[in-house]
């Protein structure tokens, strides 16, 4: 699946960049062609305006390069041509060009020429002698001067310009081909790099779904088997079947908790689990929870000691912080045997931080496992935690709650001696 996406991304990237490269190449070529030929064309127009004086600009400055000027009469016969002259076969081709404002490019005998063909008004003396433009209306002897409409053709060699354009074309094509190859390669490589985190997230999500289904399978199987057992004896009373009913209820409760935990984590993954931030007294929340747990601890013959400072106000989501505390106390109670002790501390830690510590004298965690207890579905002793109803999601949720408040959670533990979980929370989330 990812290979296909990688190819699609790389192709899309290559197409976009190639289109840009080709557009830029064509743009550059056309621009330079215009710049070069515009200069030539301006020169041709200047000469066409005053034909037969091709060696000088109107201001008297010498021309950059000589041009050939040819004047045809209405029948297409050459009336006049500058010193440098075209032969009869070339004149045949030139004669065919139509009058136009825009000069044309002509390829004659391996040479390139730019040709402007324009109308010109000339004055003809009765004696039929030299042609000038802009002469007075009468001849030297007072004879009327005739106005004649002729055609002027100014031709200039543009081999140098064409050379530059051909080199430019070769370079542009080369840049497009080499650049195109590099773009395809780079696109493929970058698409691969960009997909790495997506692939990891996808694999994590796949794992999450697989673990979740696996976790749900066991309680579902238990519910099914006990329900079937009850169905085998339809005449028995609920009291007689109370063992099976109790198991079904226990597993249902377990599934409800599991589904609710899964939902919380799924929401944190898609950033939908938002906090409702409000100022609240953390010490009051902690005291409240501790009170509920004192009785439960007593029932398990565990001593719950508290050390809660007064007036600890913070900005955060009180319900989520309560949930975090419940997860930690629940673990401490679950993993501390009878006669053990749990110490709950809540105090100012300085620097605008509050410290929440749950320390127990329970079974502890093996040194290699301490780093993994915040992983989803991680359970130290699977058989034991399953019996306790745990699925290994509690601390993942606790870690998310701490981090969502810009806080931190860490665990220290010594096997068979006890575990301490410390949560550091900023009083103001923005700090
Ligand atoms: N106070 C503790 N003492 C010893 N081991 C602990 C303690 N807290 C957590 N652990 C270990 O870390 C594991 C993960 O804890 P976590 O709270 O995430 O899951 P759980 O308690 O197994 O299940 P649940 O999802 O019901 O909380 C536990 O299975 C246990 O092995
Ligand atoms: Mg737990």
């Amino acid at each position: 699946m990812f290979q296909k996406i990688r190819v699609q991304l790389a192709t899309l990237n290559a197409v976009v960049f190639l289109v840009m490269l080709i557009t830029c190449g064509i743009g550059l070529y056309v621009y330079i062609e215009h710049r070069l030929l515009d200069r030539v064309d301006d020169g041709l127009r200047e000469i066409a305006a005053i034909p037969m004086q091709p060696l000088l600009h109107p201001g008297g400055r010498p021309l950059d390069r000589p041009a050939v000027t040819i004047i045809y009469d209405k029948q297409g016969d050459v009336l006049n041509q500058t010193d440098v002259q075209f032969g009869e076969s070339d004149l045949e081709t030139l004669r065919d060009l139509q009058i136009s404002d825009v000069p044309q490019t002509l390829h004659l005998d391996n040479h390139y020429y730019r040709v402007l063909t324009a109308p010109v008004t000339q004055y003809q003396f009765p004696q039929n002698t030299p042609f000038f433009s802009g002469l007075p209306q009468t001849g030297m002897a007072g004879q009327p001067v005739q106005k004649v409409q002729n055609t002027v053709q100014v031709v200039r060699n543009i081999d140098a310009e064409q050379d530059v354009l051909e080199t430019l074309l070769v370079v542009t094509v080369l840049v497009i081909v080499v650049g195109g190859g590099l773009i395809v390669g780079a696109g493929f490589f970058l698409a691969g790099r960009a997909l790495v985190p997506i692939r990891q997230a996808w694999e994590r999500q796949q794992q999450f779904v697989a673990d979740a289904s696996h976790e749900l399978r066991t309680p579902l199987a238990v519910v099914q088997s006990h329900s079937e057992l009850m169905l085998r004896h339809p005449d028995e009373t609920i009291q007689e079947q109370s063992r099976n009913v109790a198991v079904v209820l226990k597993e249902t409760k377990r599934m409800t908790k599991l589904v609710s935990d899964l939902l919380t984590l799924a929401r944190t993954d898609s950033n939908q689990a938002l906090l409702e931030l409000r100022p609240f007294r953390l010490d009051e929340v902690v005291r409240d929870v501790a009170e509920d747990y004192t009785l439960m601890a007593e029932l398990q013959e565990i001593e719950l000691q508290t050390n809660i400072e007064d007036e600890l106000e913070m900005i955060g989501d009180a319900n989520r912080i309560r949930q975090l505390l419940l997860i930690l106390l629940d673990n401490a109670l679950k993993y501390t045997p009878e006669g053990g002790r749990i110490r709950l501390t809540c105090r100012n830690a300085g620097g605008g931080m509050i410290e929440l510590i749950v320390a127990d004298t329970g079974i502890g965690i093996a040194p290699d496992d301490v780093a993994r207890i915040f992983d989803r579905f991680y359970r130290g002793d699977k058989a034991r935690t399953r019996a306790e109803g745990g699925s290994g999601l509690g601390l993942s949720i606790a870690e998310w709650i701490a981090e969502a408040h810009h806080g931190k959670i860490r665990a220290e533990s010594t096997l068979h001696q006890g575990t301490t979980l410390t949560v550091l929370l900023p009083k103001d989330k923005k700090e």
Side-chain angles (χ1 to χ4, degrees), residues 215-286:
E215 286 300 317
L216 280 168
R217 242 182 27 202
T218 319
L220 275 172
V222 175
V223 168
Q224 189 180 353
S225 59
H226 282 79
S227 309
E228 279 167 3
L229 267 178
M230 285 190 272
L231 267 179
R232 273 194 212 160
H233 310 282
D235 46 331
E236 283 190 11
T237 62
I238 290 182
Q239 202 176 6
E240 284 166 326
Q241 286 285 2
S242 60
R243 212 184 72 80
N244 285 331
V245 174
V247 172
V248 168
L249 271 179
K250 189 178 155 220
E251 291 301 317
T252 317
K253 233 171 95 184
R254 189 178 138 74
M255 278 193 285
T256 311
K257 178 178 176 292
L258 179 62
V259 169
S260 139
D261 285 353
L262 285 174
L263 200 63
T264 306
L265 285 172
R267 284 194 179 137
T268 63
D269 285 345
S270 57
N271 288 331
Q272 282 177 16
L274 298 174
L275 298 179
E276 282 183 33
L277 300 177
R278 268 192 215 105
F280 71 97
R281 287 275 299 271
L282 180 63
D283 54 313
E284 286 175 4
V285 173
V286 178

Side-chain angles (χ1 to χ4, degrees), residues 257 326-328 330-332 334-335 385 390-395:
K257 178 178 176 292
L326 290 180
I327 290 169
L328 301 187
D330 183 61
N331 282 348
K334 257 196 311 198
Y335 305 114
T385 45
S391 55
L393 293 178
L395 286 180

